[in-house]
Amino acid sequence: STHVPYTSLPDSILASKCKILYIARNPSDTLLSLYHFFKSQRKDCQTPPNLEDCVDDFCEGKHIFGPYLEQVVEYWNRSLQDPVKGLFLKYEDLKDQPEVELKKLSEFVGVPFSMEEENGGIVKDIVELCSIGSMKEMEGNKSGVFNKFFEKKSYFRKGEGGEWKQYLSPSDR
C-alpha cells in the first residue's frame, strides 16, 4: 500500500501485471484524517499542528504526498484507461455498500465469490473482519510501530465520513 502519486510508482510496478487498487476519500475528510494523524504523531511536541496551516498546506498541495486532487484524478484516469490493471473505489461507497464494493474487488482480482459463498455469508464475514472496529481491535494493530516511526494504532481512528463539518466551514472546502 502507498499514498504516492501514480507517476511516482516504480517502473517495476507499472510494467508488471500487478493490479492497482486506489481508494479515494472525500477531500475534506482526507484533510481532517491527515490532520489528526499528524497530531497523534506529534503529541510529545510543544506545538501541535495547527488546523488552519494544515488546511492551507493541503489546499496548496504542500503535503507529503503532493496535491491530493491531482493524485485522485490521476488514478481515476488510469483506471478508466486500463480497467484490467486499475480499480478506483470511493471510501464513501465502501462504507455505504461494503458488500457491493467487496464483490467488485473480488472480481477485479480474478477471484469472484460463488453463489454458495455469497449465500453462506462469507461476504458479510469479510466485511465485518475488515471493518474499522475490527481492525482497531486486532492485536497487531493495537501496539508497536510501523516504518520505525508511526504508532500502528494511529492508523485507525474513526473511519467515518462527514466529520469535517465539525471542524471546517463550507467555505474551507
Side-chain angles (χ1 to χ4, degrees):
S1 67
T2 185
H3 289 288
V4 302
Y6 186 87
T7 53
S8 296
L9 294 174
D11 288 338
S12 60
I13 290 177
L14 297 176
S16 75
K17 293 182 181 181
C18 76
K19 295 182 177 264
I20 298 171
L21 167 66
Y22 187 85
I23 302 173
R25 190 171 185 190
N26 173 299
S28 297
D29 284 322
T30 299
L31 161 67
L32 196 60
S33 180
L34 185 66
Y35 167 72
H36 283 294
F37 178 76
F38 287 144
K39 189 174 172 183
S40 75
Q41 298 305 313
R42 296 177 61 188
K43 62 183 171 227
D44 298 332
C45 194
Q46 289 182 350
T47 55
N50 176 298
L51 180 58
E52 290 78 19
D53 290 341
C54 194
V55 168
D56 290 343
D57 289 348
F58 186 83
C59 291
E60 294 172 18
K62 295 179 185 174
H63 83 70
I64 192 164
F65 303 111
Y68 177 73
L69 294 177
E70 287 179 25
Q71 182 184 123
V72 170
V73 170
E74 186 176 44
Y75 277 99
W76 179 65
N77 282 331
R78 297 303 299 177
S79 73
L80 293 175
Q81 292 169 2
D82 190 357
V84 172
K85 185 163 180 82
L87 177 63
F88 184 94
L89 299 178
K90 293 185 276 184
Y91 184 81
E92 293 75 18
D93 292 345
L94 285 164
K95 294 291 291 181
D96 292 341
Q97 48 189 7
E99 291 89 1
V100 171
E101 299 302 298
L102 179 58
K103 289 177 192 177
K104 284 181 192 175
L105 177 59
S106 70
E107 290 171 12
F108 174 67
V109 297
V111 188
F113 293 106
S114 67
M115 287 304 286
E116 183 179 290
E117 289 171 324
E118 286 186 44
N119 295 335
I122 194 158
V123 174
K124 288 185 189 298
D125 291 345
I126 292 171
V127 167
E128 176 56 33
L129 183 64
C130 296
S131 71
I132 191 81
S134 179
M135 302 262 305
K136 282 173 82 167
E137 293 304 314
M138 290 181 181
E139 198 56 43
N141 293 331
K142 286 183 175 182
S143 62
V145 294
F146 175 75
N147 213 11
K148 299 181 186 177
F149 301 104
F150 304 112
E151 292 182 69
K152 289 181 182 178
K153 65 182 179 182
S154 65
Y155 286 90
F156 305 96
R157 202 172 68 82
K158 291 183 179 181
E160 296 297 324
E163 188 182 18
W164 67 267
K165 295 173 189 171
Q166 297 172 18
Y167 293 83
L168 306 170
S169 69
S171 65
D172 292 328
R173 287 184 43 184

